[in-house]
Amino acid sequence: MAEDKLVKGNSRKAFKYRSTTCLNCGHPLDLSDRYCSYCSQLNTKKQLSLKDFFREFMGSILVYDSRLRYTIKDLLFKPGTITRNYVEGQRLKYANPFRFFLSVSIIYFLLQSLLLFFSSGPSPFVNINSNDTAVPLDSIQNQTFTYKNEEGTIDTLKLNEGAIVMNLDTLAKPEPEVTEDTFKYISESDLDTLGSGHRLVERFTLYRDFYKLHDIKNANVALDSLKHSKTAFNRWMYNKNSAIDRIAEDPFGFINYLVGKIPFFLFFFTPFFAFFFWLIYSRRRYTYMEHMIFIFHIFSFLFLAFLICLIPDTFLNDGVFSGLVFVFIGPFYFYKALRNFYKQSRLITILKFVFLNIVFWISSSIAALIFFAATAAAY
């Protein structure tokens, strides 16, 4: 009761506003209880005022700020230790590892996109097929130009000390033009006679050729013309023509779309990767979920390090700092985290470090192909 006398009379924590029942969960309380012992809500019946709301809002920020500070500090400078502390019970000291990983990775890609948007300069390629105003030769020395050769493909050349250097490296080949003579119609019944894989390829080729020949964007109209069933799958496949056009018009937009999915790919890939940790550390006392927490802390460190390197790399117009993190700092951090968390000898840790890296690059490459293929199909 002595502590209650120190609380101001108009505060929401004041004794006169206490209740004998939690208003959130209905758990019975004593008037001496400042918080509910079951759900941790403040024991008060006072109506919420603007002052009280602002005070609670600032208090929640300061509490999260404390967790964030400890999380960032220990994540950067104590590899593996933050995971050990978290699984041993220090949960309120750190931010939730799953939420923190998604937050820091999404912030990294958002900031990267903003910096690229505001710092993007002119394209490194100059199109000499345009009718732009003439420019002095000195201003285009050592620049790469694109031009359409006699075959209709795009090649590059460079102006070097007054001489034209032909690179003869085809950048892109136009799709072959579809005409009434070259268009090959396949009926639905003929497609049904093919194997599943062959049928899928032939159906997509047919829809793509029909789209290029007639430029019909409405899937229902096109399928009626082709006398194909207007199933959800057929409509979806025909509508991929519009997605292909969008990719051709803005390939960098498509790449940014895929890059933005990397945090979600890693989030769903982690349970699979954790299975190998569970196998090789089966004699340790850690659970499968605790291996996942360890992996999320590793991924969070990488994105946090890339986030720190993002601004200097942007100003220097070079990825040297991010390269150092990826090639040297990241692998060393991973080794130290394994050593500090699992507490095994250097030799055993190095062997498992090599094994886990091999597993990661092989399995993540296969999983990335599947994941990004599915992502591209939904574009």
Side-chain angles (χ1 to χ4, degrees), residues 72-104:
I72 292 176
K73 179 174 69 70
D74 287 359
L75 193 64
L76 288 176
F77 303 110
K78 296 180 179 180
T81 303
I82 180 176
T83 311
R84 175 174 286 275
N85 291 341
Y86 190 87
V87 301
E88 288 181 352
Q90 298 183 34
R91 309 289 167 79
L92 292 179
K93 182 179 179 180
Y94 301 109
N96 181 283
F98 311 111
R99 189 183 303 168
F100 183 79
F101 161 74
L102 285 177
S103 299
V104 73

mmCIF file of all heavy atoms in Angstrom, residues 72-104:
data_model
loop_
_atom_site.group_PDB
_atom_site.id
_atom_site.type_symbol
_atom_site.label_atom_id
_atom_site.label_comp_id
_atom_site.label_asym_id
_atom_site.label_seq_id
_atom_site.Cartn_x
_atom_site.Cartn_y
_atom_site.Cartn_z
ATOM 1 N N ILE A 72 19.664 -5.234 -31.234
ATOM 2 C CA ILE A 72 20.645 -4.791 -32.225
ATOM 3 C C ILE A 72 22.063 -4.931 -31.682
ATOM 4 O O ILE A 72 22.965 -5.409 -32.380
ATOM 5 C CB ILE A 72 20.352 -3.344 -32.653
ATOM 6 C CG1 ILE A 72 19.032 -3.285 -33.437
ATOM 7 C CG2 ILE A 72 21.491 -2.786 -33.502
ATOM 8 C CD1 ILE A 72 18.602 -1.886 -33.813
ATOM 9 N N LYS A 73 22.267 -4.518 -30.432
ATOM 10 C CA LYS A 73 23.611 -4.574 -29.842
ATOM 11 C C LYS A 73 24.127 -6.011 -29.773
ATOM 12 O O LYS A 73 25.248 -6.307 -30.211
ATOM 13 C CB LYS A 73 23.595 -3.934 -28.455
ATOM 14 C CG LYS A 73 24.951 -3.958 -27.741
ATOM 15 C CD LYS A 73 24.887 -3.187 -26.446
ATOM 16 C CE LYS A 73 24.024 -3.883 -25.404
ATOM 17 N NZ LYS A 73 24.670 -5.124 -24.899
ATOM 18 N N ASP A 74 23.320 -6.908 -29.221
ATOM 19 C CA ASP A 74 23.770 -8.291 -29.067
ATOM 20 C C ASP A 74 23.820 -9.024 -30.404
ATOM 21 O O ASP A 74 24.662 -9.915 -30.599
ATOM 22 C CB ASP A 74 22.857 -9.039 -28.105
ATOM 23 C CG ASP A 74 23.072 -8.600 -26.658
ATOM 24 O OD1 ASP A 74 23.948 -7.737 -26.432
ATOM 25 O OD2 ASP A 74 22.366 -9.107 -25.771
ATOM 26 N N LEU A 75 22.930 -8.657 -31.328
ATOM 27 C CA LEU A 75 22.934 -9.306 -32.635
ATOM 28 C C LEU A 75 24.200 -8.957 -33.408
ATOM 29 O O LEU A 75 24.792 -9.812 -34.081
ATOM 30 C CB LEU A 75 21.690 -8.882 -33.430
ATOM 31 C CG LEU A 75 21.360 -9.690 -34.687
ATOM 32 C CD1 LEU A 75 21.028 -11.128 -34.322
ATOM 33 C CD2 LEU A 75 20.183 -9.056 -35.423
ATOM 34 N N LEU A 76 24.640 -7.699 -33.308
ATOM 35 C CA LEU A 76 25.814 -7.261 -34.059
ATOM 36 C C LEU A 76 27.125 -7.727 -33.419
ATOM 37 O O LEU A 76 28.062 -8.097 -34.134
ATOM 38 C CB LEU A 76 25.816 -5.739 -34.183
ATOM 39 C CG LEU A 76 24.777 -5.116 -35.119
ATOM 40 C CD1 LEU A 76 24.851 -3.592 -35.053
ATOM 41 C CD2 LEU A 76 24.984 -5.576 -36.562
ATOM 42 N N PHE A 77 27.175 -7.702 -32.095
ATOM 43 C CA PHE A 77 28.471 -7.888 -31.437
ATOM 44 C C PHE A 77 28.581 -9.172 -30.611
ATOM 45 O O PHE A 77 29.661 -9.466 -30.083
ATOM 46 C CB PHE A 77 28.762 -6.684 -30.528
ATOM 47 C CG PHE A 77 28.748 -5.371 -31.262
ATOM 48 C CD1 PHE A 77 27.731 -4.460 -31.052
ATOM 49 C CD2 PHE A 77 29.735 -5.076 -32.191
ATOM 50 C CE1 PHE A 77 27.708 -3.254 -31.729
ATOM 51 C CE2 PHE A 77 29.711 -3.875 -32.878
ATOM 52 C CZ PHE A 77 28.692 -2.960 -32.660
ATOM 53 N N LYS A 78 27.509 -9.936 -30.499
ATOM 54 C CA LYS A 78 27.560 -11.181 -29.734
ATOM 55 C C LYS A 78 26.928 -12.311 -30.535
ATOM 56 O O LYS A 78 25.826 -12.785 -30.213
ATOM 57 C CB LYS A 78 26.850 -11.022 -28.382
ATOM 58 C CG LYS A 78 27.510 -10.011 -27.461
ATOM 59 C CD LYS A 78 26.745 -9.903 -26.150
ATOM 60 C CE LYS A 78 27.406 -8.901 -25.207
ATOM 61 N NZ LYS A 78 26.652 -8.790 -23.923
ATOM 62 N N PRO A 79 27.578 -12.752 -31.608
ATOM 63 C CA PRO A 79 26.983 -13.810 -32.448
ATOM 64 C C PRO A 79 26.732 -15.086 -31.661
ATOM 65 O O PRO A 79 27.615 -15.583 -30.964
ATOM 66 C CB PRO A 79 28.054 -14.036 -33.532
ATOM 67 C CG PRO A 79 29.323 -13.455 -32.986
ATOM 68 C CD PRO A 79 28.917 -12.344 -32.090
ATOM 69 N N GLY A 80 25.522 -15.587 -31.784
ATOM 70 C CA GLY A 80 25.160 -16.817 -31.087
ATOM 71 C C GLY A 80 24.720 -16.602 -29.656
ATOM 72 O O GLY A 80 23.864 -17.349 -29.149
ATOM 73 N N THR A 81 25.274 -15.596 -28.997
ATOM 74 C CA THR A 81 24.937 -15.348 -27.598
ATOM 75 C C THR A 81 23.503 -14.879 -27.448
ATOM 76 O O THR A 81 22.809 -15.255 -26.499
ATOM 77 C CB THR A 81 25.899 -14.307 -27.002
ATOM 78 O OG1 THR A 81 27.242 -14.766 -27.145
ATOM 79 C CG2 THR A 81 25.609 -14.074 -25.526
ATOM 80 N N ILE A 82 23.034 -14.047 -28.395
ATOM 81 C CA ILE A 82 21.665 -13.557 -28.316
ATOM 82 C C ILE A 82 20.671 -14.722 -28.416
ATOM 83 O O ILE A 82 19.672 -14.752 -27.710
ATOM 84 C CB ILE A 82 21.398 -12.499 -29.426
ATOM 85 C CG1 ILE A 82 19.957 -11.985 -29.325
ATOM 86 C CG2 ILE A 82 21.675 -13.061 -30.814
ATOM 87 C CD1 ILE A 82 19.648 -10.873 -30.304
ATOM 88 N N THR A 83 20.982 -15.710 -29.249
ATOM 89 C CA THR A 83 20.101 -16.873 -29.366
ATOM 90 C C THR A 83 20.131 -17.692 -28.085
ATOM 91 O O THR A 83 19.083 -18.157 -27.610
ATOM 92 C CB THR A 83 20.519 -17.750 -30.554
ATOM 93 O OG1 THR A 83 20.693 -16.938 -31.711
ATOM 94 C CG2 THR A 83 19.479 -18.812 -30.838
ATOM 95 N N ARG A 84 21.323 -17.866 -27.525
ATOM 96 C CA ARG A 84 21.446 -18.631 -26.271
ATOM 97 C C ARG A 84 20.655 -17.951 -25.158
ATOM 98 O O ARG A 84 19.925 -18.608 -24.403
ATOM 99 C CB ARG A 84 22.925 -18.749 -25.894
ATOM 100 C CG ARG A 84 23.168 -19.411 -24.553
ATOM 101 C CD ARG A 84 24.658 -19.611 -24.324
ATOM 102 N NE ARG A 84 25.149 -20.692 -25.161
ATOM 103 C CZ ARG A 84 25.098 -21.973 -24.830
ATOM 104 N NH1 ARG A 84 24.562 -22.342 -23.677
ATOM 105 N NH2 ARG A 84 25.580 -22.893 -25.621
ATOM 106 N N ASN A 85 20.792 -16.628 -25.035
ATOM 107 C CA ASN A 85 20.051 -15.903 -23.999
ATOM 108 C C ASN A 85 18.544 -16.030 -24.209
ATOM 109 O O ASN A 85 17.784 -16.196 -23.248
ATOM 110 C CB ASN A 85 20.440 -14.428 -24.005
ATOM 111 C CG ASN A 85 21.863 -14.207 -23.538
ATOM 112 O OD1 ASN A 85 22.457 -15.066 -22.883
ATOM 113 N ND2 ASN A 85 22.430 -13.057 -23.872
ATOM 114 N N TYR A 86 18.124 -15.955 -25.471
ATOM 115 C CA TYR A 86 16.686 -15.985 -25.769
ATOM 116 C C TYR A 86 16.081 -17.354 -25.433
ATOM 117 O O TYR A 86 15.029 -17.434 -24.799
ATOM 118 C CB TYR A 86 16.453 -15.652 -27.238
ATOM 119 C CG TYR A 86 15.004 -15.421 -27.594
ATOM 120 C CD1 TYR A 86 14.427 -14.163 -27.463
ATOM 121 C CD2 TYR A 86 14.202 -16.465 -28.057
ATOM 122 C CE1 TYR A 86 13.095 -13.946 -27.778
ATOM 123 C CE2 TYR A 86 12.868 -16.267 -28.369
ATOM 124 C CZ TYR A 86 12.323 -15.004 -28.239
ATOM 125 O OH TYR A 86 10.997 -14.793 -28.546
ATOM 126 N N VAL A 87 16.750 -18.434 -25.844
ATOM 127 C CA VAL A 87 16.180 -19.766 -25.607
ATOM 128 C C VAL A 87 16.301 -20.171 -24.140
ATOM 129 O O VAL A 87 15.573 -21.061 -23.684
ATOM 130 C CB VAL A 87 16.852 -20.831 -26.512
ATOM 131 C CG1 VAL A 87 16.670 -20.483 -27.967
ATOM 132 C CG2 VAL A 87 18.319 -21.009 -26.171
ATOM 133 N N GLU A 88 17.199 -19.516 -23.401
ATOM 134 C CA GLU A 88 17.326 -19.828 -21.975
ATOM 135 C C GLU A 88 16.376 -19.015 -21.114
ATOM 136 O O GLU A 88 16.442 -19.108 -19.884
ATOM 137 C CB GLU A 88 18.773 -19.625 -21.533
ATOM 138 C CG GLU A 88 19.714 -20.707 -22.071
ATOM 139 C CD GLU A 88 21.146 -20.523 -21.617
ATOM 140 O OE1 GLU A 88 21.431 -19.458 -21.000
ATOM 141 O OE2 GLU A 88 21.974 -21.419 -21.868
ATOM 142 N N GLY A 89 15.528 -18.196 -21.744
ATOM 143 C CA GLY A 89 14.469 -17.547 -20.973
ATOM 144 C C GLY A 89 14.432 -16.036 -21.003
ATOM 145 O O GLY A 89 13.474 -15.437 -20.526
ATOM 146 N N GLN A 90 15.448 -15.376 -21.570
ATOM 147 C CA GLN A 90 15.461 -13.912 -21.587
ATOM 148 C C GLN A 90 14.622 -13.408 -22.772
ATOM 149 O O GLN A 90 15.145 -12.798 -23.705
ATOM 150 C CB GLN A 90 16.896 -13.394 -21.662
ATOM 151 C CG GLN A 90 17.745 -13.788 -20.466
ATOM 152 C CD GLN A 90 19.146 -13.198 -20.537
ATOM 153 O OE1 GLN A 90 19.356 -12.094 -21.027
ATOM 154 N NE2 GLN A 90 20.119 -13.951 -20.028
ATOM 155 N N ARG A 91 13.314 -13.613 -22.713
ATOM 156 C CA ARG A 91 12.430 -13.298 -23.844
ATOM 157 C C ARG A 91 12.059 -11.819 -23.883
ATOM 158 O O ARG A 91 11.969 -11.225 -24.960
ATOM 159 C CB ARG A 91 11.159 -14.148 -23.774
ATOM 160 C CG ARG A 91 11.424 -15.642 -23.601
ATOM 161 C CD ARG A 91 12.001 -16.268 -24.857
ATOM 162 N NE ARG A 91 12.532 -17.583 -24.614
ATOM 163 C CZ ARG A 91 11.818 -18.691 -24.504
ATOM 164 N NH1 ARG A 91 10.507 -18.628 -24.603
ATOM 165 N NH2 ARG A 91 12.406 -19.859 -24.288
ATOM 166 N N LEU A 92 11.782 -11.229 -22.726
ATOM 167 C CA LEU A 92 11.348 -9.829 -22.706
ATOM 168 C C LEU A 92 12.493 -8.866 -22.994
ATOM 169 O O LEU A 92 12.261 -7.703 -23.311
ATOM 170 C CB LEU A 92 10.715 -9.494 -21.343
ATOM 171 C CG LEU A 92 9.379 -10.187 -21.033
ATOM 172 C CD1 LEU A 92 8.884 -9.793 -19.653
ATOM 173 C CD2 LEU A 92 8.335 -9.831 -22.090
ATOM 174 N N LYS A 93 13.718 -9.340 -22.912
ATOM 175 C CA LYS A 93 14.871 -8.469 -23.150
ATOM 176 C C LYS A 93 15.052 -8.181 -24.631
ATOM 177 O O LYS A 93 15.582 -7.126 -25.013
ATOM 178 C CB LYS A 93 16.131 -9.139 -22.589
ATOM 179 C CG LYS A 93 17.398 -8.306 -22.728
ATOM 180 C CD LYS A 93 18.585 -9.040 -22.114
ATOM 181 C CE LYS A 93 19.872 -8.237 -22.269
ATOM 182 N NZ LYS A 93 21.032 -8.944 -21.684
ATOM 183 N N TYR A 94 14.616 -9.106 -25.497
ATOM 184 C CA TYR A 94 14.866 -8.986 -26.935
ATOM 185 C C TYR A 94 13.555 -8.943 -27.718
ATOM 186 O O TYR A 94 12.507 -9.394 -27.245
ATOM 187 C CB TYR A 94 15.693 -10.181 -27.428
ATOM 188 C CG TYR A 94 17.026 -10.343 -26.752
ATOM 189 C CD1 TYR A 94 17.268 -11.387 -25.858
ATOM 190 C CD2 TYR A 94 18.065 -9.439 -27.008
ATOM 191 C CE1 TYR A 94 18.504 -11.533 -25.242
ATOM 192 C CE2 TYR A 94 19.298 -9.583 -26.385
ATOM 193 C CZ TYR A 94 19.504 -10.631 -25.506
ATOM 194 O OH TYR A 94 20.723 -10.763 -24.899
ATOM 195 N N ALA A 95 13.655 -8.393 -28.931
ATOM 196 C CA ALA A 95 12.519 -8.406 -29.850
ATOM 197 C C ALA A 95 12.268 -9.824 -30.348
ATOM 198 O O ALA A 95 13.182 -10.650 -30.404
ATOM 199 C CB ALA A 95 12.792 -7.468 -31.027
ATOM 200 N N ASN A 96 11.018 -10.106 -30.707
ATOM 201 C CA ASN A 96 10.674 -11.415 -31.247
ATOM 202 C C ASN A 96 11.519 -11.697 -32.493
ATOM 203 O O ASN A 96 11.545 -10.881 -33.417
ATOM 204 C CB ASN A 96 9.184 -11.442 -31.607
ATOM 205 C CG ASN A 96 8.742 -12.777 -32.146
ATOM 206 O OD1 ASN A 96 9.003 -13.101 -33.302
ATOM 207 N ND2 ASN A 96 8.057 -13.558 -31.327
ATOM 208 N N PRO A 97 12.252 -12.811 -32.545
ATOM 209 C CA PRO A 97 13.186 -13.047 -33.660
ATOM 210 C C PRO A 97 12.505 -13.138 -35.026
ATOM 211 O O PRO A 97 13.067 -12.693 -36.030
ATOM 212 C CB PRO A 97 13.867 -14.370 -33.295
ATOM 213 C CG PRO A 97 12.996 -15.005 -32.271
ATOM 214 C CD PRO A 97 12.323 -13.895 -31.540
ATOM 215 N N PHE A 98 11.299 -13.702 -35.080
ATOM 216 C CA PHE A 98 10.601 -13.822 -36.365
ATOM 217 C C PHE A 98 10.131 -12.452 -36.849
ATOM 218 O O PHE A 98 10.324 -12.088 -38.009
ATOM 219 C CB PHE A 98 9.407 -14.776 -36.223
ATOM 220 C CG PHE A 98 9.748 -16.065 -35.546
ATOM 221 C CD1 PHE A 98 9.269 -16.360 -34.285
ATOM 222 C CD2 PHE A 98 10.574 -16.994 -36.171
ATOM 223 C CE1 PHE A 98 9.597 -17.540 -33.653
ATOM 224 C CE2 PHE A 98 10.903 -18.185 -35.559
ATOM 225 C CZ PHE A 98 10.417 -18.455 -34.294
ATOM 226 N N ARG A 99 9.528 -11.678 -35.946
ATOM 227 C CA ARG A 99 9.047 -10.353 -36.305
ATOM 228 C C ARG A 99 10.216 -9.424 -36.639
ATOM 229 O O ARG A 99 10.131 -8.625 -37.572
ATOM 230 C CB ARG A 99 8.225 -9.781 -35.154
ATOM 231 C CG ARG A 99 7.492 -8.482 -35.481
ATOM 232 C CD ARG A 99 6.770 -7.962 -34.266
ATOM 233 N NE ARG A 99 5.835 -8.960 -33.734
ATOM 234 C CZ ARG A 99 5.253 -8.855 -32.544
ATOM 235 N NH1 ARG A 99 5.514 -7.822 -31.758
ATOM 236 N NH2 ARG A 99 4.413 -9.789 -32.138
ATOM 237 N N PHE A 100 11.308 -9.540 -35.879
ATOM 238 C CA PHE A 100 12.459 -8.666 -36.129
ATOM 239 C C PHE A 100 13.077 -8.963 -37.491
ATOM 240 O O PHE A 100 13.454 -8.039 -38.226
ATOM 241 C CB PHE A 100 13.502 -8.864 -35.029
ATOM 242 C CG PHE A 100 14.698 -7.955 -35.171
ATOM 243 C CD1 PHE A 100 14.635 -6.638 -34.763
ATOM 244 C CD2 PHE A 100 15.885 -8.425 -35.726
ATOM 245 C CE1 PHE A 100 15.729 -5.792 -34.900
ATOM 246 C CE2 PHE A 100 16.975 -7.589 -35.873
ATOM 247 C CZ PHE A 100 16.894 -6.272 -35.447
ATOM 248 N N PHE A 101 13.166 -10.244 -37.852
ATOM 249 C CA PHE A 101 13.722 -10.604 -39.158
ATOM 250 C C PHE A 101 12.893 -10.006 -40.287
ATOM 251 O O PHE A 101 13.435 -9.388 -41.217
ATOM 252 C CB PHE A 101 13.781 -12.121 -39.311
ATOM 253 C CG PHE A 101 13.903 -12.571 -40.743
ATOM 254 C CD1 PHE A 101 15.100 -12.429 -41.433
ATOM 255 C CD2 PHE A 101 12.814 -13.117 -41.408
ATOM 256 C CE1 PHE A 101 15.197 -12.817 -42.760
ATOM 257 C CE2 PHE A 101 12.914 -13.510 -42.728
ATOM 258 C CZ PHE A 101 14.111 -13.359 -43.409
ATOM 259 N N LEU A 102 11.576 -10.194 -40.241
ATOM 260 C CA LEU A 102 10.724 -9.639 -41.298
ATOM 261 C C LEU A 102 10.812 -8.119 -41.344
ATOM 262 O O LEU A 102 10.865 -7.520 -42.419
ATOM 263 C CB LEU A 102 9.270 -10.078 -41.077
ATOM 264 C CG LEU A 102 8.937 -11.525 -41.433
ATOM 265 C CD1 LEU A 102 7.488 -11.840 -41.111
ATOM 266 C CD2 LEU A 102 9.208 -11.809 -42.910
ATOM 267 N N SER A 103 10.856 -7.485 -40.174
ATOM 268 C CA SER A 103 10.912 -6.021 -40.131
ATOM 269 C C SER A 103 12.198 -5.488 -40.741
ATOM 270 O O SER A 103 12.176 -4.618 -41.610
ATOM 271 C CB SER A 103 10.783 -5.535 -38.678
ATOM 272 O OG SER A 103 9.555 -5.934 -38.117
ATOM 273 N N VAL A 104 13.345 -6.015 -40.313
ATOM 274 C CA VAL A 104 14.612 -5.481 -40.781
ATOM 275 C C VAL A 104 14.848 -5.790 -42.255
ATOM 276 O O VAL A 104 15.407 -4.972 -42.994
ATOM 277 C CB VAL A 104 15.788 -5.999 -39.909
ATOM 278 C CG1 VAL A 104 16.088 -7.460 -40.171
ATOM 279 C CG2 VAL A 104 17.041 -5.150 -40.126
#
